[in-house]
Amino acid sequence: MSLPTRTLLFAAALGGLATVAHGQDKPAAPPAGCAAAADNFFEDEVWAKVGVRSCLTCHRKGGDGEDSAFVLQDPRKVDGAARDAAMRHNRAAFAKMAAAKEKDKSRLLLKVVGDLDHGGNDVLKPDSAAYRTLAEFVRRVTGPAAKTTDVAGDPKAPPFFDGVVMLDNRRLLRRVTLSLAGRLPTEAELASINKLGLAVLPAILDAVMKEEAFYDRVREGFNDVFLTLGVDGNPDQTVLSYEHFGTTRGWYQKHDLSHIKDEAERKRAGYKLADDYRKALLAEPMKLVEYIVRNDRPFTEVVTADYMMVSPYTARGYGIFDEVKGKFKNPDDPFEFVPVRLKALASRNKAENQESATGFYPHAGLLGTFQYLARYPTTETNRNRLRVRMYYQHFLGVDVLELAARVSDAAAATAKFPIPTMQAAECVVCHKTIDPVAGLYQDFWRFADQGVFGKRKGGWFKDMFGPGFEGEDLPPGERWRALQWLGERTAKDPRFAVAMTEHAYYVLTGRKVLLPPKDLEDPLYAARLRAYREQRKAVEAIAARFAKNNFNMKGVFKDWVASDFYRVDGVATALKDPCRRAELDDVGVVRMLSPEQLERKVAAVFGEKWGRLQGELGMLYGGIDSKEVTERATDPSGAMGAIQRILSNDVACKAVARDFAKPAAERRLFPGIEPSVVPGVSADNDKAIRAAIVHLHERVLGRYDAPDSPEVDRTFKLLAGIVADAKNQKGIEKREAYACRPDRDAPNAAAKADDPHYTIRAWRGVVTYLLRRSEFLYE
Amino acid sequence: MRRDFLKMCGLAGLGLAAPYRGPDAAAADAKKDEPYAGPFYVVFNASGGWDTTYLMDPKGVNGINRLYKDGDILTKGAHKYAPIKAHAKGGMCNEDFYAEFGDELLTFNGLDYSVNNHSPGARYMATGKLDSLAYPTFAALVAACRGPDCPLAFLTFGNYSATGNLVAMSRVPYLPSLRNIANADGVGGNEKSPYHDKFALDRIERALQEEHEAVAASPLLPRAERAENMLYAAQVNSKALQRVTQYIPAQIPKERMAQQAEIALASFKAGVCVSANLTIGQFDSHANNDPDQMKLIPEFLAGIAYLVRRAGELKIREQLVVVVQSEMGRTPNYNAGNGKDHWSIGSALFLGKGIKGNRVVGATDDKQFAVPLDPATLKLDKDRGVRVRPEHVHEALREHAGVADHPLSKKFPLGVPDKERLKGFWG
C-alpha cells in the first residue's frame, strides 16, 4: 500500500474514532457508500497483538464474555466484505471501551489488568508490550492524532520477494513432477515449457494429476496430516467391532483356498489374504480422499461425503460384498475401492441398533469413518475431547490447546468449582467451544477394542455444555446424524478452506504454515510478522479460489505450485540485514526428502528404487509409523548422514557398471560416454567427459550447468583425480569391484566388469559424490 | 578440513546456521575429533501425568491416597516418600530406589505447571516456555550448545522433542540398527569390503568439501544455509558412529526403558551424543489410578536405576545429569472410576554431576496445592514467595549446564526476572 493511501485510510479511520470518542453509543460506521477498511494501526497492532489473542476467546458470541458489553467478531470465520465489516465492528468496540473512563482512566486499560471485576482477570501485565500497544490505541482514540508507529507495515519496505530468485521453468517442472508424480519431466514436457513458458504449467499439471503416482502421493501426503494408517491393533478387530461385524469381520479365516494344493503355499496365501485385508481396511480413509481428488469432487466431501470406500476384501468384512460386488472391475483385487453406503449398524442386541431416518449409516466423510474414530478414540474421562481437538486441527486449522492460556493457579481454579469446565472462567474459555462438539460424538462411545459406535448408558454427560457447534445447539432431531450436521457446518466455515489450503502446503513442503509471532518484545517482531502476513495472504488467496472453484483440491496444488512461495530458489545477494533475514527465514521449499520420496527419486533417476528405506532403516531416516512417530524428521541427524552415505555408495555401485553394460542408446546415466574415454588424454576426450558430466548433473541434480562452469570443473577434477590416482597405485584390479558388477551371476559377468583404466569406478565415485549433495537429497 | 569449512561459514555470515561456533571455537575445534566426554544429559519423562503422591510427595491425608496413611510415609535422609513396596507390580519400588539413590537425589515439590492439558504441559515442561511452539527442549538446547558436532547429539524416544532448528533430532528405535549403519562405506557394513578404494573416497570427500565451501560462499536463503550446514555436518560427523558398535551389548534388554537407556549409553560412551530424551507413557490414570501408578512408577524407577547402574559399569556415571519429570500431576481426589484426573501441580527429580543430593526444595500443602517459595533462600514463603513454574526450573537447568549465556539460549529467552532465579538450587 502506498504511503498516501495509508495516510488517507488512517485519517478516515480517525474520523470514525472521533465519533466514538465523543461518547456516542452507536458503533462507528463508515459513511454510506464508503467501504473504508479498518485503520491499520488497529488491525496490525491492536487486533493482531491483543484482540485476537487475549480478548476474542471470551468476548464473542458463544464465549464466556458474550453477555458483556464488549462482544467482538472473529474475522477469520468470514471472508471478503464481511471480514472488513467484522474488523470495523471490532475496532468500534475497542474504541468505545477505550473512550469510556473510570476515574479518568480508560476502562479498556483497567479491564485488561484485571480491575473493574474483569471476568477474565488480568490478561495483560502493565509493563508488557501488548499493554503499551493498547495504551497507544487509547491515546489515539482519546487524544490528538499522533504519528503512527506501525512498524509491521513499513510503507517504504520493498516488495516481499524483492531480491529473491525464482526457479527457472525447467527446474520448477522437475520439482513438480518429482514431488507429485515421482518422476522426471518428459522430453515433451520440457520442450513445451521451454517454448511456451509458465503458461503451459497448468496443462502439464492437469496431466500429472491424472497419473496413478499422483494419487499415491495424495494418499501419502494426507495420511501425514490425518494419520489414519496409525490405527492400533489388527484393524479387522479394532475398526470392525464385534458388536456390529462379529459374524463377517473374520471372513478371511474361512475363505476357501483349497485350490492351492501345497499346504505351505496355502498357508502363505492365507497370511497374505489377511494381510491384504488389513491393509485395505486401513487404506479406506485415504482412498476416500483419493476418490474425491481423482473425480474432481468438492473437497468438502472429506467432511460431508455420504458414502465410504470399500474394496472387495473390506466389503466382505462389512458383510456387504454380495450387494456391491457388481461395482468392482475385479472382485478379487484387494485394493480396488468403490464408494458405497453402509446400512445403519445392527447390533447383537436389537435395542442398541443404530437409529437412522434413512436406514443408512450417517456417513460424514472422514469424520464418521471407523478408522478415524478408532485412530482418535475416546475414554471415559476424555469424553470425546481428543476427537474434538483433532477435528479442529484437521478440518478448521485451529489448535484448541494453543488456546490453553496460563492460569495464575490452575489447581485452585479446578478445586474451587464443582464443575470447573462449566464454571471456572479459565476452563470455560476452551470448554465452551470444545465440549459441545464432543457432544456431537456422543453416540460413538465405545472404548479401546470394543468398536466405536454405541450410546452411553444413562445418556450424555450433564456436566458438559450440550451438543452443538460454535454457539449453535444441535437440534434433537438431528442427533442420529450429528456428525453429518457437524460436517455441513464445517464445509461452510471459511476456516475449512484455509485449513485444507494449509494441508496442501504441508504436503508440498513438509512443514506447516507460519504462526503469527507472539513475542512483542522481539526486535525482529515486525519482520516475522511481515513474513507471516505475506504467507497468510497467499494462503487466504488460494483458499478463496479453492472455495470459488467448488473446492477442487487439484486447484490448490496448482495454485501453490504457481506461487512465489513454491518457486523461490535463492537470493541474488547475501542477506546481511537481520530484519531481512528474519523475513525470509522460512522462505523456500528446501525440504529434506522423506524415505518414501527419496526412494521414488532414486527410481526416477536410476530406473529402480534402492529398496532399503523401509522398516527400521526408514524409521531411522526420519520416517513415521503414524502411531507414536507422527512427524517426519526435517533435519538430518548423524545416523541419517550415515544412511545417506550408504545410499550413495550402494546406488552408485548398482547403477554405474550396469548402465555402462547397456547399449549407449539405452543408458540413463552415460548415454554419451564410454569407459574407454580417459580424462587428460586429449581435448576431445575431455570435451566428451564434460558433456557426460553436464548430463549427469541434469539427471541426478536437476542442474543445467555449462561444460566450462565451476560446477562441472569440480566434478571433472574428481573424475580425473581418481583415474590419475589409480594409475599411480600398485596392484589395482582391472575390474570393477565384485559387489558392483552387473549381472554378477551371469557366465560373462567378469568380462562385463572390465575396467582397465579405472574409469567405471571413477564414474561411480562421481555418482556417489552427486548423490550425497543437497540438490539430490532435498527438494 | 571441516574446521576450515566451518570458519568459512562464519565468514560468510551464516550466523546461526547450525552448528553454532562460539568464541571458543578454536579450542573446541582442537578437540573436535575427540569423542564428546560429557556431561551427558538424560531427561526421563513419565508421559501422561504421574501421581507424585505415590512417589516423592506423599500425603496420606484428605483421601488423597488409598494405599497408605499419613503415618506410613517413609523417609530417607531429607526425603519423604510413599510406601509402595506392598503394592508395586514389578520394577523397582520407592523403598529400594530411595535406599540406592536417595543420597544423590534432589527433589523439587510444588511445581506449578499452570495448565492441566497434556500437550501444552508436555511442551512447557520440555522447553520452559508455555506459549511458543518454536522453543527447543532443554535436551535439544544443551546438545546444540555443547556438542553440535556429535552425530547423535540429541537422541529422543518420544515426548515433546522440538529442536528450535538448532540441532537435528535423532530417533534410534532399535539398537542393532546403529550397528547396521556404523560402517557406511563398507559393502553390507563390512569395513574390510569398502565400496571405494581409499584414494577414491578421499577424493569424493574433498570434492564434497569444496562443493560445500562454494555453496557457503554464495548467497543463500536462510533455510538453504541451515540445510547445507546440517547436511554436511550429518554426513561428516556420521563417521564417528563407528565408535558406537563396540558398546552395543550382545544381549538387548527386554524392558522398554532399559532398551532406550542402552541406546543412549552406547551413544554417550562412544562420545557421539550429548543428551537423550527417554520416555514411557500410559501414566494418564483417569481410571484405576492406583493399579496403573503401581505398575508404571516402579517400571519408571527401574529404568532410571538401570541407566545409572549401567553408566557406572561403562564408567560414565560421574558425567550423568538426570532430570526426571512429567507434564502434570494427578488430582488430590479420586473420580468415580477410581482414577485421578489432571492436576496442575507436580514435582521433579534431579541427580548427577553438580547436583547436591539428599535435598528437597519446595512443597505442596496437605491439599496438594503448591506452596510459594523465596527464590533467594529456597525456603517456603506462602505470602511473598513465587510460584515456581517450568521456566524457573529451566533457567536453573541452563545455568547448571553452563549454557544460560550461550547465544543459542539467548535466542530463546525464558523471561525469568533476576529476582525470581532459584539461587543455590543445585546445592
Side-chain angles (χ1 to χ4, degrees), chain B residues 20-250:
Chain B
Y20 169 82
R21 313 300 294 173
D24 55 351
D29 285 340
K31 296 180 180 173
K32 75 157 198 68
D33 290 327
E34 295 175 14
Y36 174 76
F40 305 113
Y41 298 86
V42 184
V43 179
F44 281 91
N45 298 287
S47 184
W50 59 5
D51 188 344
T52 51
T53 64
Y54 277 120
L55 182 50
M56 73 295 272
D57 192 15
K59 295 296 171 198
V61 294
N62 297 324
I64 294 177
N65 306 100
R66 291 176 177 169
L67 298 183
Y68 67 90
K69 300 287 182 203
D70 188 18
D72 303 329
I73 290 171
L74 300 172
T75 59
K76 162 72 179 171
H79 297 286
K80 286 168 70 180
Y81 62 90
I84 66 167
K85 192 162 197 162
H87 308 283
K89 298 274 183 277
M92 185 177 201
C93 63
N94 294 347
E95 287 83 342
D96 293 343
F97 184 79
Y98 275 89
E100 186 170 348
F101 301 107
D103 290 344
E104 297 175 72
L105 270 183
L106 164 62
T107 295
F108 182 78
N109 288 328
L111 179 61
D112 182 1
Y113 300 109
S114 305
V115 290
N116 51 19
N117 289 313
H118 295 291
S119 180
R123 180 171 71 235
Y124 197 12
M125 275 307 289
T127 65
K129 188 78 172 171
L130 174 62
D131 57 354
S132 172
L133 302 179
Y135 272 53
T137 64
F138 169 71
L141 176 66
V142 74
C145 294
R146 300 201 69 130
D149 295 332
C150 294
L152 304 176
F154 168 46
L155 268 176
T156 183
F157 298 90
N159 207 48
Y160 190 78
S161 301
T163 65
N165 286 330
L166 300 179
V167 65
M169 168 204 310
S170 296
R171 292 191 296 237
V172 182
Y174 313 101
L175 196 49
S177 52
L178 277 184
R179 189 181 280 129
N180 297 338
I181 62 169
N183 292 305
D185 293 321
V187 178
N190 183 354
E191 207 174 356
K192 292 177 182 167
S193 177
Y195 282 100
H196 298 280
D197 287 313
K198 185 173 180 310
F199 62 86
L201 189 59
D202 288 346
R203 287 270 180 190
I204 293 168
E205 297 294 350
R206 278 207 295 280
L208 283 166
Q209 180 205 356
E210 288 170 18
E211 169 62 23
H212 279 285
E213 288 171 356
V215 170
S218 65
L220 289 172
L221 285 162
R223 278 189 65 79
E225 283 178 11
R226 283 195 295 271
E228 283 291 338
N229 285 312
M230 287 266 196
L231 179 66
Y232 183 73
Q235 293 184 3
V236 170
N237 296 335
S238 68
K239 292 170 189 168
L241 286 176
Q242 291 175 14
R243 296 198 298 256
V244 178
T245 51
Q246 60 188 308
Y247 302 112
I248 298 175

Side-chain angles (χ1 to χ4, degrees), chain A residues 530-558:
Chain A
R530 186 181 187 205
Y532 164 75
R533 285 205 176 132
E534 290 291 336
Q535 192 190 66
R536 189 83 331 223
K537 268 196 288 187
V539 168
E540 289 177 355
I542 292 172
R545 280 195 294 278
F546 176 46
K548 199 173 169 186
N549 192 20
N550 198 24
F551 296 96
N552 187 308
M553 181 50 74
K554 287 178 184 169
V556 178
F557 283 118
K558 282 160 72 173

Side-chain angles (χ1 to χ4, degrees), chain A residues 381 389 401-402 404-412 414-415 511 515 518 568-575 581 584-590 616-617 619-620 622-623 629 631-633 635-639 641-646 649-650 653 711 714 717-718 721-722 725-726 729 732 739 758 764-765 768-769 772-775 777-778, chain B residues 13-14 112 114-117 119-120 123-124 130-133 151-152 163 165 167-174 177-178 180-181 184-185 187 195-197 199-201 203-208 210-211 214 219-228 230-231 234-236 238-239 241-242 286 335 341-345 369 387 389 391 413:
Chain A
T381 51
R389 177 189 165 199
L401 287 181
E402 260 249 284
R406 178 197 301 278
V407 175
S408 56
D409 188 345
T414 307
R511 63 184 187 275
L515 293 170
K518 287 188 171 178
V568 162
D569 188 35
V571 281
T573 54
L575 298 172
R581 285 183 66 86
L584 298 180
D585 187 69
D586 192 62
V587 165
V589 173
V590 196
E616 285 184 22
L617 209 60
M619 291 297 292
L620 203 53
V629 183
E631 290 194 21
R632 297 178 181 279
D635 298 309
S637 65
I643 294 171
Q644 290 164 352
R645 284 166 54 217
I646 297 170
N649 285 325
D650 205 50
C653 172
E711 277 288 334
R714 203 154 27 246
K717 188 175 140 194
L718 170 62
I722 293 175
D725 284 353
Q729 302 282 322
I732 288 286
Y758 209 87
R764 178 154 63 81
T768 302
Y769 157 72
R772 280 179 56 178
R773 286 172 49 174
S774 58
E775 293 106 313
L777 296 165
Y778 284 67
Chain B
L14 294 194
D112 182 1
S114 305
V115 290
N116 51 19
N117 289 313
S119 180
R123 180 171 71 235
Y124 197 12
L130 174 62
D131 57 354
S132 172
L133 302 179
L152 304 176
T163 65
N165 286 330
V167 65
M169 168 204 310
S170 296
R171 292 191 296 237
V172 182
Y174 313 101
S177 52
L178 277 184
N180 297 338
I181 62 169
D185 293 321
V187 178
Y195 282 100
H196 298 280
D197 287 313
F199 62 86
L201 189 59
R203 287 270 180 190
I204 293 168
E205 297 294 350
R206 278 207 295 280
L208 283 166
E210 288 170 18
E211 169 62 23
L220 289 172
L221 285 162
R223 278 189 65 79
E225 283 178 11
R226 283 195 295 271
E228 283 291 338
M230 287 266 196
L231 179 66
Q235 293 184 3
V236 170
S238 68
K239 292 170 189 168
L241 286 176
Q242 291 175 14
H286 287 287
N335 62 29
D341 300 323
H342 301 171
W343 191 241
S344 62
I345 304 297
F369 288 107
R387 301 180 68 82
R389 302 183 195 266
E391 61 264 34

